[in-house]
Amino acid sequence: MAWTASFDPRALKELEKLDRVVQKRVVFYLQTRVVEKGKPRDLGKPLTGDKAGLWRYRIPDFRLICRLDDEAQRVLILRVAHRKEAYR
């Protein structure tokens, strides 16, 4: 079974508010690097502190905050935001 990616409703709204070029870059990154490779922990970094258990992916100035579900092999994107606002 392959990994899949899905967006939380809040993250989907955040993605829709971004510039079209950035939207395409985020979706392309998810499809080609995270989902197709099948090893989402190879690219991201685990978060610490109050966000322990979550992962982040860097896409130049934007961050994806995600929850990885190993049993369902799913990456749930919780936030899509500029790096200044992603961790708030």
Side-chain angles (χ1 to χ4, degrees):
M1 186 170 163
W3 282 83
T4 59
S6 60
F7 285 88
D8 184 70
R10 177 182 173 187
L12 195 57
K13 282 185 180 182
E14 290 174 342
L15 180 67
E16 290 171 352
K17 290 180 183 179
L18 298 177
D19 184 49
R20 190 71 73 184
V21 174
V22 176
Q23 289 177 9
K24 288 181 181 181
R25 186 178 292 161
V26 167
V27 172
F28 182 78
Y29 182 89
L30 281 170
Q31 289 175 345
T32 60
R33 304 191 95 198
V34 177
V35 174
E36 284 183 10
K37 289 197 176 195
K39 296 181 180 180
R41 285 183 173 83
D42 285 352
L43 297 171
K45 277 185 125 177
L47 296 176
T48 59
D50 62 337
K51 296 193 181 345
L54 300 178
W55 284 74
R56 71 127 167 110
Y57 295 100
R58 288 178 51 192
I59 303 171
D61 286 339
F62 291 86
R63 301 294 182 263
L64 300 180
I65 307 298
C66 306
R67 177 170 287 123
L68 303 180
D69 184 0
D70 290 315
E71 290 182 18
Q73 289 193 332
R74 181 177 69 160
V75 178
L76 176 63
I77 296 93
L78 302 172
R79 297 267 343 248
V80 179
H82 191 272
R83 63 188 181 145
K84 291 191 300 187
E85 300 168 2
Y87 305 106
R88 294 182 185 175

